[in-house]
Amino acid sequence: MTTGPGTRAAAAEDEDAPVRRRPPVSLVLCSAWVVLVLASTLLAGLLPIAGYDEPVADGATPPFESWPEFLGADSVGLSVLSRVIHGAQLSLAVAVLGTVIGMAGGVALGTAAAYFKGWLATVVNLLSDVVLAFPGLVLLLAMASVMRPSVWSLSAMLGLLSLPSSLRIAYANANVQLGRDYVLAARALGTPAWRMIVREVLPNITHSLVAFGFVMVATFMIALGALDFLGIGLPPPRPSWGGMIASGFDSIRTRPYLVFVPAAVLLLTVFSFNTIGDRLRERADGRGGHL
């Protein structure tokens, strides 16, 4: 069977066309879980469930004995499902807000230090080294023990802890971009520093920053859960995942679901954010192909 020039050209184009690979099943499942958590958090007031402080039973109720409170009730009859969903509101709010605060400061300082260099770069790198010299969890415990815990204070503390890491990522990526031809051309044309950073540098380091942001959200959720478990995190009556684990720990032998349910939700959420962040980082590095 003979083939004409048009057929051979079409075959060559097919071979040269990029192959779109399906995203891994783990990435799809993790993305679906994050969407589910975010949706249930944002729509908590519209869901047909009881309030987090509204008893639904006379005492502890095992899971799958009633609907829609299919996760059971704790020792005082409060819905575990409702408290898990409302606990996600605070956990996600503090983790995301802390990440935004830390990355905003880190990106501003890192890109400015990369552009101007000199004494500014020396001071910024020195300050980041000082903060990184302290163990993060120990420093967080110290700050939480002397400050009144709230959404804003905890977010500010977490943002301070993430500042050195986001600063270094922004500094390293901005240094690479500032050596590109398009930046050198913009400098030769007399483009102001702020415009070059905002229009030329930041759009090209966004992928790395977003990937780092997902990982930091996961890290902050673990840190917040540790603070809540130790009793120095967000105060009651608003539920939190770490607080639910702490309150159910004494009855883990008789009612293990009071610990395992919030712990499993925390584990799945942290794992999902980490998986998405790692995939975005691989794509930013040019190794991951299509999401």
Side-chain angles (χ1 to χ4, degrees):
M1 180 177 179
T2 60
T3 58
T7 305
R8 289 194 296 269
E13 291 179 358
D14 291 339
E15 292 178 357
D16 295 337
V19 179
R20 293 189 60 88
R21 293 177 296 176
R22 292 184 179 180
V25 176
S26 60
L27 179 64
V28 174
L29 294 177
C30 289
S31 301
W33 176 259
V34 170
V35 171
L36 176 62
V37 171
L38 292 177
S40 61
T41 299
L42 296 175
L43 303 176
L46 302 177
L47 297 177
I49 57 176
Y52 64 86
D53 56 352
E54 178 184 348
V56 296
D58 295 333
T61 304
F64 307 112
E65 288 196 359
S66 62
W67 181 264
E69 316 297 339
F70 63 92
L71 292 182
D74 61 12
S75 56
V76 295
L78 300 179
S79 169
V80 175
L81 174 63
S82 178
R83 292 178 66 80
V84 165
I85 292 176
H86 285 87
Q89 291 180 332
L90 290 181
S91 297
L92 287 174
V94 173
V96 172
L97 188 57
T99 301
V100 170
I101 292 174
M103 292 190 66
V107 170
L109 291 174
T111 53
Y115 185 86
F116 295 105
K117 299 188 183 300
W119 66 268
L120 180 60
T122 302
V123 172
V124 165
N125 286 315
L126 179 61
L127 291 177
S128 66
D129 290 338
V130 171
V131 178
L132 290 174
F134 293 93
L137 185 57
V138 175
L139 185 59
L140 181 61
L141 291 173
M143 291 188 293
S145 62
V146 298
M147 296 179 64
R148 184 178 180 181
S150 66
V151 172
W152 287 104
S153 63
L154 289 174
S155 300
M157 288 186 286
L158 293 174
L160 177 62
L161 290 180
S162 68
L163 182 62
S165 299
S166 58
L167 186 155
R168 292 195 167 194
I169 290 178
Y171 181 81
N173 284 275
N175 261 331
V176 173
Q177 296 301 323
L178 288 170
R180 305 284 187 182
D181 292 339
Y182 70 92
V183 175
L184 298 178
R187 276 184 172 178
L189 294 174
T191 305
W194 68 269
R195 182 176 297 177
M196 186 174 304
I197 292 175
V198 172
R199 293 188 177 182
E200 305 292 346
V201 176
L202 287 181
N204 290 285
I205 65 176
T206 301
H207 290 299
S208 298
L209 295 175
V210 171
F212 176 72
F214 272 89
V215 176
M216 289 311 301
V217 168
T219 303
F220 287 164
M221 293 182 72
I222 296 176
L224 185 61
L227 292 180
D228 293 332
F229 183 81
L230 296 174
I232 55 177
L234 295 170
R238 290 298 298 269
S240 63
W241 291 342
M244 293 178 66
I245 296 173
S247 62
F249 194 75
D250 293 336
S251 56
I252 190 172
R253 292 182 179 274
T254 57
R255 293 185 289 271
Y257 64 92
L258 296 180
V259 174
F260 291 152
V261 169
V265 173
L266 177 60
L267 172 64
L268 289 174
T269 306
V270 170
F271 177 79
S272 298
F273 273 98
N274 270 325
T275 300
I276 296 174
D278 288 343
R279 185 66 178 178
L280 290 174
R281 177 181 55 80
E282 291 176 359
R283 186 183 184 188
D285 293 342
R287 299 192 306 268
H290 297 282
L291 278 177

